[in-house]
Amino acid sequence: MAEVKRVYKFGAGQTEGKAGMRNELGGKGANLAEMSLLGMPVPPGFTITTTTCNEYYTLGRDRVLSLLEADVRSAIAFIEGEMGAKFGDRENPLLVSVRSGARASMPGMMDTILNLGLNDEAVLGLAKRTGNPRFAWDSYRRFVQMYGDVVLGMKPESKEDIDPFEEIIEERKRAKGITSDTEFTAEDLQELVVRFKKAVKDRTGRDFPTEAMEQLWGAVLAVFGSWMNDRAKLYRRLNKIPEEWGTAVNVQAMVFGNMGDTSATGVAFTRDAATGERLFNGEFLVNAQGEDVVAGIRTPQPITIEGSRRWAKLKGVDEATRKKVAPSLQEVMPKVFEELDAIEHRLENHYHDMQDIEFTVQDGRLWMLQTRSGKRTGKAMVKMAMDMLAEGLIDEKTAVERVEPEKLDELLHPVFEKAALSKAKTIALGLPASPGAASGRIVFFAEQAEEWAEKGEKVILVRLETSPEDLRGMHAAQGILTARGGMTSHAAVVARGMGKCCVSGAAGIEVDYSKRELKVSGGLYKEGDWISLDGSTGKVYEGQIATSDAEMDADFAHLMELADKYAKLEVHTNADTPRDSKVARRFGATGIGLCRTEHMFFEGDRIKAMREMILAHDLKGRQAALAKLLPMQREDFEGIFEAMAGLPVTVRLLDPPLHEFLPKVESQIQEVAANSGVTVEALKARIEGLSEVNPMLGFRGCRLGIVYPEITEMQTRAIIEAALKLKKKGIEAKPEIMIPLTGILKEFQNQRAVVLRTAEEVFREYKDRVNFKVGTMIEIPRATLIADQIAQEADFFSFGTNDLTQMTFGFSRDDIGKFLPYYLEQGILKVDPFRSIDPEGVLELMKTGVTKGRGAKKSLTIGICGEHGGDPTSVGYCHELGMDYVSCSPFRVPIARLAAAQAAIR
Ligand code: ADP
Ligand code: MG
Ligand code: MG
């Protein structure tokens, strides 16, 4: 049996992995190997595979440790050789970091441990060898803290609980009268270590492990264990990352950014992740280690002079102040910058994509610690793809694939109205961390953001800084405001990933969690007060500000052009008004796939006529009421057909149960009774009579038209007359009349006959004709099974996947709130089938429907008009089924166009 390889080395001519091995090595491990292969300065190390993580869960801890033992020891020996130091040695100790790294990047999801290998003796050796005791004790202090948090479980459960380590640090600062960690002396740090270890002993009852190998195994197992922690699970769910993937573990020789003023650590992007501009940018901190930059503890400095100048301009500070407060790496360490810039260029050319890199400078020497394709906003995603296409870095298909359809959503969403904005009062200025405009009421805690959002409130989550525990709250909020942190802070990175508006590091705002207050110069805002954020400028405003539609730029238009070039599916829209139709056309819809006529009956006076129709006791009464509705419907259709001139418009005949149109509350019942000249009692009896036990499966859809053919007649007449009137004006209407809820062939035949008969009547009256089609929704499971019969008489099918899903699962869509969340949490269902087509059941029925339908009539037009029409995964399925079009809400049209292109390219 072939030996399973679980450990892959990287560094100095011995690299065993490469970028293509991401599945096994995780993103971080694969790219560390790749950078080593490219000859870039990467500290040597090794990666334990993702498969091993899965083995940890199937075989158990002991078995996995014994499987790893020999390979890990030999890999450690390799690092020792490279670094000329010995793991666990007291004179010349090799220190390593232990880093998790899944296939897909999961920022901040799993914790890294730095400086592993230190103990009370090794720290002295390190101090002596480097001649820098402060550095040695700082490293040790950090190690005990991180190891305590991640491996020994010292980290508090909730952010509002006290972190024992932070408390010790604060105590020491108070005792010394200092405000920053950087002012600690070696003796202070030594004292902290002693107290940290005591805290560990007190809390866990066990001594802090001193033996390097024991420390290492503890850390490796903790990384495996973290794959199943709540934060990681939530992130995976939000980002649709499968649990089976597992995480790799990277063990890597430490390099030190905390050795003094010639050392530093930083993160950078090869292009601007917010705007897409081709500008090398990022942040660094002198004499710092690890995640200090993103933790928002100290304010980081920009990488380039350009970045520093822009910062100064934003903050309104002069050149002298800029040089003092935020000098760039380019100025502070010009040689290092030059090398970094060259590497940055090479990486982009190598990966053909914008890279997000992490580096450390140890005593003037640059080390690369990570590279990955950077997260970006929707706007940046489109601009980068189109720029890189123009630069010849990628081809058209790659450019189309580069943009995540869902991300386009951000571009299509509103921005603040200029007029409203000019009157708004700016109360603070932060960094433009993630673009977009948001108004909401202030909340200070993530849980609260969730609670309020559930109640339908719009909220802005305001925090000193955010951490992964805040993820749910950030998701629920309209926008995020933080007092601390830079452009690469947790809040900024995560918000950009979510496409949420975020302003970070708003200096001058004071957040008081206990009083639930936000103080700015000259103002006090309490929980529940309205504020507004502009994530593109970093401005924070008082109150609520009106928004207006986003404008689509040339890059966007170019992308859409490319999408249409490759897509096979057409994208239609669901629209009930001329206004929506126009919006959808602007977004590129080539037809209306679903025009719901019932929505028209709710406006203004129409509901009165509608109620009159429903309450009528006989045919005569109904006809009289329908006669009032006819001209209104005709006018609606004229408007819509005109907006969609030359394009098909699928009109669905009346679908919902009639009682939905009747009044529900007492006051309304009285009013309706008075208006229609019946007693309240009589009306109530009528409402009672119409009410149903299970309306979704009740008197609705074509069943209405079969019992009351006069409704179908009126609607057909309105549609055909509208088309004829437009024809007179030289406008081509292409009506397609759609019978809802067909499940039995005779139902369809019955309604089709009414439509055809009525149309002929109208043609005779007008002495003119128009072309039109008659088809049906396929939304009852039975309809998919007899699709061949229906197809013989229907011109088109449109899959109504909302009802089809509802009836296939037997889930009432209005009641799933009670159990679907549990289903998703427990993995009984992987995705909400109302958001993305169920690939096993519902899709199978659709396949049957398409095959039988097309088998009976080759020319049958087939589309889909459920919510799923705007879901990229579902669009992919529709492409595979060979459908003609998908139909979705106007704002999702570009998303569907792009998804359709990607499905065709794959
Ligand atoms: P994340 O996945 O959260 O980004 P990383 O594993 O990249 O976590 O670690 C976070 C940071 O820790 C890195 O950006 C780097 O600054 C620091 N770090 C990790 N490994 C080393 C190392 N071997 N030497 C120096 N710093 C390191
Ligand atoms: Mg991290
Ligand atoms: Mg990292």
Side-chain angles (χ1 to χ4, degrees), residues 28 99 291 358 370 372:
K28 200 180 289 168
R99 321 169 63 188
E291 312 227 80
E358 299 178 5
Q370 192 170 336
R372 62 183 166 205

Side-chain angles (χ1 to χ4, degrees), residues 28 100 106-112 231 291 294 358 468:
K28 200 180 289 168
S100 62
M106 294 170 64
M109 284 300 108
M110 283 181 271
D111 298 297
T112 298
R231 284 188 275 154
E291 312 227 80
V294 295
E358 299 178 5

Side-chain angles (χ1 to χ4, degrees), residues 717-776:
R717 181 169 277 277
I719 294 165
I720 300 294
E721 286 186 356
L724 285 165
K725 279 179 184 279
L726 288 179
K727 188 178 173 191
K728 279 219 174 82
K729 291 202 244 164
I731 298 166
E732 188 194 8
K734 290 187 154 179
E736 309 199 337
I737 299 175
M738 181 154 77
I739 315 296
L741 225 67
T742 300
I744 306 165
L745 177 63
K746 285 228 159 80
E747 287 176 327
F748 181 69
Q749 288 172 329
N750 171 301
Q751 286 298 284
R752 180 166 178 264
V754 176
V755 170
L756 294 182
R757 172 167 44 78
T758 310
E760 284 306 324
E761 266 169 45
V762 179
F763 291 158
R764 267 199 304 278
E765 288 165 28
Y766 278 68
K767 299 201 175 58
D768 197 4
R769 303 183 73 86
V770 287
N771 288 326
F772 69 99
K773 291 184 175 174
V774 188
T776 182

Side-chain angles (χ1 to χ4, degrees), residues 844-863:
E844 200 56 34
L845 284 173
M846 291 170 68
K847 210 181 276 175
T848 305
V850 171
T851 313
K852 289 199 164 199
R854 285 255 168 81
K857 184 184 276 174
K858 245 179 131 188
S859 64
L860 189 72
T861 306
I862 303 181

Side-chain angles (χ1 to χ4, degrees), residues 698-712:
F699 187 34
R700 55 172 288 221
C702 62
R703 300 155 202 176
L704 295 169
I706 290 172
V707 176
Y708 300 133
E710 53 276 17
I711 299 179
T712 304

Side-chain angles (χ1 to χ4, degrees), residues 374-567:
K375 293 206 181 297
R376 60 203 74 172
T377 62
K379 183 181 159 74
M381 195 174 272
V382 173
K383 178 166 168 54
M384 283 180 201
M386 293 305 110
D387 283 356
M388 287 184 193
L389 176 64
E391 291 160 21
L393 206 57
I394 54 177
D395 62 14
E396 283 185 358
K397 288 185 176 177
T398 310
V400 167
E401 290 204 286
R402 230 358 118 59
V403 182
E404 291 167 39
E406 286 288 355
K407 278 274 185 187
L408 290 182
D409 211 26
E410 294 164 39
L411 274 76
L412 308 172
H413 275 302
V415 292
F416 286 135
E417 257 172 27
K418 286 209 176 74
L421 199 59
S422 66
K423 279 178 241 141
K425 178 179 165 197
T426 309
I427 56 173
L429 181 64
L431 298 168
S434 182
S439 281
R441 300 172 65 189
I442 298 174
V443 295
F444 293 99
F445 300 99
E447 303 83 66
Q448 201 182 5
E450 279 188 84
E451 279 164 28
W452 288 33
E454 238 159 65
K455 282 185 263 170
E457 292 281 358
K458 293 196 157 134
V459 299
I460 302 284
L461 180 62
V462 180
R463 298 214 41 99
L464 284 171
E465 69 233 4
T466 65
S467 76
E469 284 91 79
D470 298 324
L471 214 61
R472 278 169 190 273
M474 293 170 77
H475 215 260
Q478 305 294 309
I480 298 128
L481 169 65
T482 70
R484 300 192 197 138
M487 294 291 286
T488 48
S489 66
H490 176 267
V493 171
V494 173
R496 280 201 294 274
M498 289 179 176
K500 281 262 137 97
C501 156
C502 174
V503 173
S504 71
I509 73 168
E510 278 174 50
V511 175
D512 188 330
Y513 291 137
S514 59
K515 288 195 189 136
R516 303 192 174 205
E517 279 176 7
L518 166 68
K519 250 192 222 160
V520 299
S521 57
L524 181 72
Y525 301 88
K526 291 189 173 301
E527 175 182 295
D529 288 348
W530 282 86
I531 53 168
S532 300
L533 307 179
D534 188 332
S536 311
T537 61
K539 285 187 179 167
V540 183
Y541 302 95
E542 186 177 272
Q544 199 178 359
I545 305 172
T547 53
S548 62
D549 291 350
E551 282 167 41
M552 285 157 288
D553 63 9
D555 285 325
F556 181 86
H558 187 192
L559 173 69
M560 284 296 121
E561 204 179 289
L562 286 178
D564 292 348
K565 176 169 166 188
Y566 290 100

